[in-house]
Each structure stands twice: as C-alpha cells, then as structure tokens.
C-alpha cells in the first residue's frame, strides 16, 4: 500500500497576506468577508431542506471529442438517484464562449445558505484546440470556466479565471467545497508544473468565484494524482482521488475531520469485495469520481467514470460510508447517454420541476402525420399508407403470424438472411411516388421485429442517402438499426468523420419487440415496447444527410452484400415528425394490438 504525502493547510491569516504573483494573473483575496452569516446558517439550511430534497441534478459532459458539443455542460435529473433523464433533448445546457471554447469535468456547489449555485469546469477542448491528450497536458489552459445562478435555470455568462500557477501546463477537474474553518470555498484541481512533471492536486480559496488566493500544493505523491472529490458525513470528510500510476490506475479513499488536516486511508474501502490496492483488472481504469447520498436513506452512491472501456459512469453503492464497502449497482439507468466526469447534488422538487420546464427532456413538441405504413396483412408489399415504390429482392417472401396480441395477429414477413425489401420514390420527374423520408429534418421510424439469429450484424432497416448500393471507404450516409449478440444498435451515420455515438439497448432473441426511433434535429431517442432506453445527441442534420431521394431497405444494410437480417418484421411505420413520449406509447399499443 502506497503511503501518500499530504500537506497540512496553512493558517488563513498567512494565506491572506500573500501578494499576487508577479505576472499579475492573480488577484489575492484581501478579506474573506460577507460569509459569516452563511456559516451560521449552514445547519439551519440543511435541517430546513432535509425533508424537501426530493430529486437530484447531475451536471456532466458526454465526450468523446467527436464534435463541439461533446465538451460542454449537460444537465440530467432523477427522482430516485438511479434513473436519469438528460435535459434539453440531450443537448448542452451551458456552452463555453471563453478560453478554449470547450469544457470538461463540470462541478456544481450550492452555497451554505442555499441561495446560490456556482458551476466550474476545466477550460479544455480536445476537439477545438489540442486534437489529442498530449498537448492538453503540456500546453493546456491555466484557467477554469465559471457560471453562477440563483435558481439553476438562469445562469450568468461564462467567465474565465486563472487559478493555476504561471508555470502550470493545465488545470484539470476543478471542484469546490465550503470550508467552514476558513469561511470560504476551497477550490482544488490537478496541475503539472515546471518543478513537477507529475500531476499534483492544488488548491486556493475564494468567496465569490471571481478573485482567488494564490495556489498551493494540496496533495502530492510520487505518481500523478488527479480527479479529487469529497463527500461529508457527520463531520467527517471522505476524499476520493485518482492515482495515475501507469501500471494500475485506481481511485482511492481517505478521510479526515478537517479539509486541511492529515487525511488517512480508509482501509476497509473496497469495490465488490476487492481493495483498490490489489490493482486487479476489474477495478482499474476508473476516474472522475462523484459521490452522493440517497435522499432519506442510509445509502451512498459512488460513480466512477469507466474511461478504460469508453463506457461512461459505472455505479456502486454502500449502506455505510464509514466502511465504504461498495458493490456494483446494476439497476442504474442513464437513458442511453454516456455520462462523463461530473457532479450529483440533491435538489428540491420545485427545482426539479423548474429544470424540466426550462429544458424539457424531449425538446419542443412537433406536429405532423403518419406518412407511411407497411403491415403485410395482405401478404404482399402494398403499403397500407403512402405512395412509395415497394419491391423485394432475393426470392419469394414468406409470410406468417404477425406481432399483434390477441386473435387478430395479422401477418408478418420473414427475412431469412437473403431477402430484403426496398422502399423508395421513383426518380422520374413525372412520377408521384415519393420516398417517405424525403426532405425530413425530423421523423420517427418504428417497427416490430423478432430476431431469430443474432451472432453477427443483422440489419432490420437502413436508410441510405440516394443510392442503396453506396459506400466505400466508410463514406456512407444513413440511418438504420441492427442487432448483434443481444444488443440493438441504432445509428445516424454521416460518414466515418462525423459519426455520433449510436443509441443501444439489449433485446431478447425469438421474442417480438417493438422498436421506435425518434430522430430529432439534435438527438436520436430509442424506445423498446414504448419505454425509452436510449437517448444520444447528434449534430448531424437529417435532411442534409439523407438528401432528396433517400432509399429505405428492410432486412439489409445499405452496402452491396451487407448483413442481411434473420427474423420477422411487421408494422413498419414512418411519421414525418418527432413523436413525443405519449405518442410513442400510443403508436406502440396500436402496432402491437394493445390499445
């Protein structure tokens, strides 16, 4: 077990007496005033709110670094702390217009008297500036980006403040915590500097997140340390930090009754029965810890960013933070969004409702029509609605019992790994046959499937741009859905240089399921059997991507011999707008005979 060296906090009076750096980049705090009344009201506020804290806010980012929105601030909310919905239709709530024009690792803190929120984040954009991680460590920003709000829905413009030393090469993962012994916020982050080419955790103090004291080393070791976070319980501060030991990175835990005291390792801290210091494979590759207590319960959640597998946060829980024996919590649901390094805070029900009102989960309501339906009930390819050309290839189609409940099951078509169906508008100017997806900026595609074979990629539908046989060098443009090894994957692909993360979910083979894909201008939302299971942001413009004569293929990928489906297909429908949740559920019930 490695012994870590800690630096005890210096006296506040001495710290306030320091002068600004010669560079002039720091304005020293000359007095930490105006906060004594807050200190006196801390316990009062906590007591008053204890029965009202009924929900949670998760402030995070979603990177990758595939587009400019990956490195911005996202808000997600939850009623129970385990099932999360991302606000603003999975688009950023706050975007940086300063510094590197991108932010990562956002952290939010509520003021002691509860009347203000401060949100700070790493001023860092791999997408805009650095291109890779090397430059961000050696030539990164020394500053953080700051927003403030009195109600969580109205935020100040972002401001940039340098907090790291002039010789620092970065200022990563800033967080803050109210230090009752100092009557100020302790702000802490990780930096490399010219005298230490390992990351050390630094800190400074502020009362207004506008001026800051000079930075000092807070935690150091013989290896790099980053991503420190705290949770306080009954007067004890529990401090999680990531050890960047190149052979076995892990998040370790210490405790102390003072933020400036000598922290000691929590020897009973384990993950699934294993201590992190064993450096076993299944507890490596985590960073960006955030911890929070479940409202009204003796349960604490620890979320660790599983960067090693590019999977986003992995949740763990314990019923005793003092022993910190965490176990995996598989019941968590992030709604298909890849949450990255952020912070969870408890909020009141009124705050929760205000957030949902300001930034709805599904975005603005839209209007439109059902424009195409193919249900196979007549055992042919005559559309029940819509005037597109529908043809089959690969041999005679087989029809069988459909997906509906009850006696009136209707008919379905069998796709047996060699046959497929094409839906398109005639290219002749004189024809009135039109592709159902022509010129749509948003739409909804839904269908019922029963997968018979799933050991490779089987495409139930693909809608490429103009030419069904396009696609060389990963230059395809399409929307589509396929199944493989128990996972349903839904893509919005605008060639390999602009490929947002797909919406994915698990499925059960040889069992009917109803799939709905809602394509909004800025997100793809996936539902199975009327319930949302995935929601991913996208900057790919649907109309531009699909063009004016998009082709739809059922049972086959958009490339020549690609990945034929093996299973049953029924109730294929297209709406020319993005359905809301209640409409999705109504469409599901109609298609499956459950209305």
């Amino acid at each position: 077990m490695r012994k870590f060296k800690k630096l005890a906090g210096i006296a506040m009076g001495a710290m306030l007496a320091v002068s600004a750096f010669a560079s002039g980049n720091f304005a020293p705090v000359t007095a930490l005033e105006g906060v004594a009344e807050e200190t006196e009201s801390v316990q009062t506020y906590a007591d008053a709110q204890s029965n009202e804290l009924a929900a949670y806010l998760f402030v995070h980012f979603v990177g990758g670094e595939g587009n400019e929105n990956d490195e911005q601030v996202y808000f997600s909310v939850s009623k129970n702390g385990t099932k999360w919905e991302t606000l603003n239709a999975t688009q950023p709530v706050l975007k940086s217009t300063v510094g590197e024009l991108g932010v990562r690792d956002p952290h939010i803190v509520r003021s002691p008297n509860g009347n203000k929120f401060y949100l700070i984040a790493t001023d860092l954009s791999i997408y805009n500036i650095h291109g890779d991680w090397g430059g961000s460590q050696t030539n990164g920003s020394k500053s953080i980006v700051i927003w403030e709000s009195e109600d969580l829905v109205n935020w100040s413009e972002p401001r940039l403040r340098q907090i790291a030393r002039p010789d620092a090469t970065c200022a990563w993962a800033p967080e803050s915590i109210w230090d009752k012994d100092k009557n100020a916020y302790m702000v802490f982050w990780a930096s490399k500097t010219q005298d230490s080419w390992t990351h050390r955790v630094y800190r400074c103090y502020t009362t207004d997140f506008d001026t800051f004291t000079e930075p000092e080393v807070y935690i150091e070791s013989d290896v790099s340390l980053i991503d420190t976070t705290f949770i306080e319980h009954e007067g004890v501060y529990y401090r999680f930090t990531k050890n960047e030991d190149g052979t076995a990175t892990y998040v370790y835990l210490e405790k102390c009754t003072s933020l400036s005291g000598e922290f000691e390792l929590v020897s009973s801290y384990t993950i699934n029965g294993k201590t992190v210091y064993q450096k076993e494979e299944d507890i490596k590759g985590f960073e960006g810890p955030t911890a929070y207590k479940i409202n009204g319960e003796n349960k604490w959640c620890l979320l660790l960013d599983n960067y090693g597998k590019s999977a986003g946060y992995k949740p763990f829980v314990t019923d005793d933070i003092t022993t910190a024996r965490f176990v995996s919590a598989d019941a968590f649901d992030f709604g298909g969004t890849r949450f990255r390094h952020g912070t969870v805070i408890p909020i009141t029900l009124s705050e929760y409702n205000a957030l949902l009102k300001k930034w709805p989960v599904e975005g603005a309501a839209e209007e439109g029509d059902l424009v195409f339906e193919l249900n196979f009930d007549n055992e042919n390819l005559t559309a029940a609605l819509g005037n597109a050309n529908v043809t089959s290839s690969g041999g005679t189609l087989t029809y069988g019992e459909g997906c509906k409940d009850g006696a009136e099951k209707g008919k379905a078509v069998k796709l047996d790994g060699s046959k497929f169906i094409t839906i398109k508008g005639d290219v002749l100017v004189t024809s009135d046959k039109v592709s159902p997806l022509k010129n749509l900026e948003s739409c909804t595609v839904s269908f019922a499937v029963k997968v018979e074979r799933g050991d490779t990629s089987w495409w139930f539908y693909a809608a490429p741009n103009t030419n069904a046989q396009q696609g060389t060098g990963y230059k395809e443009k399409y929307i589509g859905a396929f199944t493989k090894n128990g996972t349903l994957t839904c893509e919005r692909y605008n060639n390999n240089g602009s490929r947002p993360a797909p919406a994915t979910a698990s499925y059960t083979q040889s069992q009917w399921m109803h799939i709905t894909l809602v394509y909004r201008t800025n997100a793809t939302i996936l539902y199975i059997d009327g319930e949302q299971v995935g929601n991913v942001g996208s900057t790919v413009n649907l109309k531009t991507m699909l063009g004016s004569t998009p082709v739809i293929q059922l049972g086959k990928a958009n490339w020549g011999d690609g990945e034929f489906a093996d299973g049953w297909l029924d109730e294929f429908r297209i709406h020319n707008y993005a359905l809301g949740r209640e409409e999705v559920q109504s469409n599901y019930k109609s298609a499956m005979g459950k209305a």
Side-chain angles (χ1 to χ4, degrees):
M1 185 179 297
R2 175 175 286 106
K3 178 176 175 60
F4 292 90
K5 297 180 289 182
K6 276 79 63 177
L7 298 185
I10 61 175
M12 195 59 171
M15 181 169 57
L16 296 181
V18 298
S19 61
F21 285 162
S23 65
N25 289 323
F26 291 88
V29 176
T30 55
L32 296 176
E33 298 176 348
V35 292
E37 64 272 19
E38 289 195 352
T39 306
E40 294 170 0
S41 66
V42 170
Q43 190 61 44
T44 302
Y45 169 72
D47 289 343
Q49 296 295 320
S50 61
N51 295 323
E52 299 177 25
L53 295 172
Y56 308 83
L57 169 64
F58 200 151
V59 174
H60 59 95
F61 76 110
V62 301
E65 297 85 32
N67 63 67
E68 61 181 10
N69 281 342
D70 282 353
E71 299 170 302
Q72 302 295 345
V73 180
Y74 291 73
F75 283 6
S76 297
V77 292
S78 174
K79 281 287 191 67
N80 62 7
T82 63
K83 181 177 175 60
W84 296 92
E85 294 184 301
T86 302
L87 300 181
N88 200 29
T90 322
Q91 291 300 289
V93 166
L94 300 174
K95 297 184 72 171
S96 176
T97 57
V98 296
E100 296 192 1
L101 304 180
V103 288
R104 303 170 71 98
D105 322 318
H107 181 268
I108 187 171
V109 64
R110 189 194 292 265
S111 67
N113 63 8
N115 65 359
K116 204 159 194 178
F117 300 88
Y118 295 100
L119 194 156
I120 61 178
T122 308
D123 176 37
L124 172 61
S125 178
I126 304 297
Y127 177 81
N128 288 323
I129 304 294
H130 300 287
D132 58 41
W133 280 101
S136 67
Q137 295 187 60
T138 59
N139 191 32
S141 174
K142 301 174 179 62
S143 300
I144 60 174
V145 182
I146 304 163
W147 289 266
E148 58 184 85
S149 172
E150 295 180 355
D151 56 11
L152 293 177
V153 296
N154 296 292
W155 290 87
S156 67
E157 290 298 314
R159 61 179 180 264
L160 196 68
R161 293 293 183 270
Q162 181 175 330
I163 59 171
R165 286 171 25 175
D167 64 338
T169 63
C170 59
W172 280 4
E175 294 201 9
S176 64
I177 186 171
W178 178 256
D179 189 335
K180 60 188 177 184
D181 295 330
K182 310 293 189 183
N183 285 356
Y185 298 94
M186 183 178 82
V187 181
F188 48 97
W189 67 96
S191 283
K192 287 185 176 182
T193 54
Q194 291 180 0
D195 63 346
S196 174
W197 288 100
T198 59
H199 278 102
R200 296 183 293 193
V201 179
Y202 286 77
R203 71 174 175 184
C204 65
Y205 286 87
T206 185
T207 60
D208 57 8
F209 287 85
D210 192 38
T211 56
F212 299 82
T213 60
E214 293 182 8
E216 62 172 353
V217 176
Y218 182 44
I219 318 173
E220 66 176 348
S221 175
D222 54 349
V223 297
S224 284
L225 303 176
I226 64 171
D227 294 357
T228 293
T229 195
F230 288 91
I231 186 169
E232 186 269 340
H233 177 61
E234 295 183 345
V236 178
Y237 296 98
Y238 295 87
R239 185 172 74 182
F240 297 88
T241 302
K242 182 196 176 186
N243 181 309
E244 286 265 83
D245 184 339
T247 60
T249 62
Y250 54 87
V251 173
Y252 67 93
L253 176 61
E254 302 167 291
K255 66 178 181 180
C256 189
T257 56
S258 170
L259 291 172
S260 295
E262 286 290 333
F263 279 75
E264 61 178 307
L265 290 169
V266 180
S267 59
S268 57
Y269 166 57
T270 55
I271 296 177
N272 292 331
K274 299 175 182 177
T275 169
V276 298
Y277 310 108
Q278 291 175 310
K279 304 178 182 179
E280 298 197 28
E281 191 65 33
D282 58 348
I283 55 176
K284 289 166 54 180
F286 291 121
E287 64 184 15
T290 188
Y292 57 100
K293 187 178 183 296
I294 294 296
N295 295 327
E297 297 183 38
N298 286 323
K299 181 186 288 187
W300 288 260
C301 297
L302 171 64
L303 301 182
L304 298 176
D305 191 348
N306 194 9
Y307 74 96
K309 296 183 179 179
S310 300
Y313 270 115
K314 184 173 177 59
F316 303 91
V317 295
T318 183
D319 58 6
D320 185 355
I321 190 63
T322 66
T323 60
R325 296 186 177 100
F326 287 92
V327 296
S328 294
D330 296 330
F332 272 63
D333 180 3
F334 295 108
T337 301
R338 184 188 178 198
F339 289 27
R340 300 293 313 280
H341 194 160
T343 320
V344 177
I345 62 169
I347 57 175
T348 66
L349 186 59
S350 60
E351 289 168 340
Y352 171 87
N353 290 332
L355 285 164
L356 281 171
K357 182 178 180 180
K358 179 69 177 288
W359 295 293
V361 170
E362 296 182 347
E366 297 184 14
E367 295 183 358
D369 299 300
L370 174 65
V371 294
F372 185 80
E373 181 179 2
L374 189 60
N375 57 29
F376 313 108
D377 287 348
N378 294 324
E379 296 196 7
N380 59 39
L381 298 180
T382 302
L385 179 68
N387 62 354
N389 283 322
V390 185
T391 58
S392 64
S393 301
T396 303
L397 292 171
T398 300
Y399 296 88
E401 191 173 69
C403 65
K404 290 182 182 293
D405 279 350
E408 300 296 328
K409 286 185 174 295
K411 296 293 182 179
V413 69
K414 179 66 188 304
L415 302 167
D416 61 2
S418 63
K419 302 179 180 68
F420 67 99
I421 297 166
T422 302
I423 305 168
K424 63 180 180 179
D426 200 320
V427 297
L428 298 176
V429 176
T430 57
S431 173
D432 62 354
K433 300 291 186 180
V434 178
S435 169
L437 295 174
K438 179 179 180 179
N439 292 329
L440 297 185
E441 295 186 353
S442 61
C443 67
T444 302
V445 177
S446 62
F447 50 94
V449 293
K450 183 164 63 172
V451 180
E452 299 291 0
R453 179 181 175 187
D455 59 341
T456 187
S457 299
W458 300 99
W459 287 76
F460 277 98
Y461 104 95
N465 176 306
T466 305
N467 180 2
Q469 303 301 323
Q470 64 152 326
T472 58
Y474 300 101
K475 297 299 183 183
E476 304 92 348
K477 296 174 181 286
Y478 61 85
I479 54 176
F482 66 90
T483 58
K484 181 179 180 180
N485 296 331
T487 298
L488 170 69
T489 300
C490 306
E491 289 200 324
R492 185 168 176 163
Y493 192 107
N494 193 42
N495 79 53
N496 202 43
S498 180
R499 185 178 196 174
T504 61
S506 60
Y507 70 90
T508 302
Q509 195 164 307
S510 302
Q511 177 178 304
W512 279 109
M513 63 177 171
H514 186 264
I515 297 168
T516 304
L517 277 160
V518 178
Y519 296 96
R520 290 189 174 273
T521 56
N522 56 8
T524 302
I525 308 171
L526 169 62
Y527 296 81
I528 294 181
D529 292 339
E531 296 297 323
Q532 181 180 318
V533 295
N535 188 329
V536 294
S538 176
T539 58
V540 176
N541 183 285
L542 205 65
K543 180 178 177 180
T544 301
M545 181 179 71
L546 292 179
S548 60
T549 55
V551 175
I552 303 167
Q553 292 185 156
L554 306 181
K556 177 183 174 297
N558 63 305
W559 41 87
D561 297 323
E563 301 168 346
F564 289 82
D566 192 339
W568 293 88
L569 176 70
D570 200 4
E571 295 293 335
F572 185 84
R573 298 177 179 178
I574 297 176
H575 290 75
N576 63 3
Y577 69 107
L579 296 184
R581 182 172 307 196
E582 292 184 1
E583 293 175 299
V584 168
Q585 293 173 345
S586 177
N587 182 55
Y588 152 67
K589 291 176 181 178
S590 170
M592 305 297 282
K594 297 179 180 293

